[in-house]
Amino acid sequence: AQSVTQLGSHVSVSEGALVLLRCNYSSSVPPYLFWYVQYPNQGLQLLLKYTSAATLVKGINGFEAEFKKSETSFHLTKPSAHMSDAAEYFCAVSGNAGNMLTFGGGTRLMVKP
Amino acid sequence: DSGVTQTPKHLITATGQRVTLRCSPRSGDLSVYWYQQSLDQGLQFLIQYYNGEERAKGNILERFSAQQFPDLHSELNLSSLELGDSALYFCASSVRGKADGYTFGSGTRLTVV
């Protein structure tokens, strides 16, 4: 079985500040991990993915995430928030046979001017 | 454009009615997944098809059914609709292999009145 917990359903940062969105996972097999972003009235777009290569993964729009096995975490960061980063972010894990993704509950990021 | 096409984009229907949502996967993708997204339930996995065969089932109601056709497009049928079925319904597709993640369509917003 696998599961994802995203700590904080809402996160608010000021423009230019560090963005940190937390994700912890549970998986009985070595996981593949993903971050998706959803802008209002749109589908989910893949930001980045960890597939057992480098533990620090760089994605689009300046985001990156670090896989920490000892902490079962895959937190998403961006050094400097931009107004256009305001969206909902979903962490997901794939670990079962096949490629089923299990999603976390999502974190809504708000960016203040 | 993600390559996953969902139609219609919006649907308004009355309680008790039946609707069909359509999804064309990205070229080359054999797996299709259906998700329901609502404010109270988040992203809920409904069902997966792989190359025409049902592969996994999630929290899909008995009033809902789906199929994947030989050309790999998929349809999600929702019947005896209730107010609580109002949600965004997403289709996603992937190639075989758990490192790939999903490519999402832009969704169908269903409103039951």
Side-chain angles (χ1 to χ4, degrees), chain A residues 1 4-5 8 11 33 38 40 44 48 64 67-68 85 87 103:
Chain A
V4 174
T5 302
V11 169
L33 295 156
Q38 184 181 28
L44 281 74
L48 50 80
E64 62 182 37
F67 171 68
K68 292 186 176 180
D85 295 327
F103 286 87

Side-chain angles (χ1 to χ4, degrees), chain A residues 20-24 35 64-66 71 73-77:
Chain A
L20 171 60
L21 304 182
R22 297 178 187 275
C23 171
N24 287 89
W35 275 98
E64 62 182 37
E66 186 172 9
E71 299 177 9
S73 69
F74 190 57
H75 302 329
L76 182 71
T77 60

Side-chain angles (χ1 to χ4, degrees), chain A residues 24-63:
Chain A
N24 287 89
Y25 70 91
S26 170
S27 178
S28 56
V29 298
Y32 293 114
L33 295 156
F34 306 82
W35 275 98
Y36 283 84
V37 60
Q38 184 181 28
Y39 297 101
N41 300 313
Q42 294 187 27
L44 281 74
Q45 179 185 3
L46 181 65
L47 266 181
L48 50 80
K49 61 182 178 182
Y50 165 77
T51 57
S52 74
T55 57
L56 182 62
V57 181
K58 295 188 183 299
I60 61 172
N61 301 337
F63 284 93

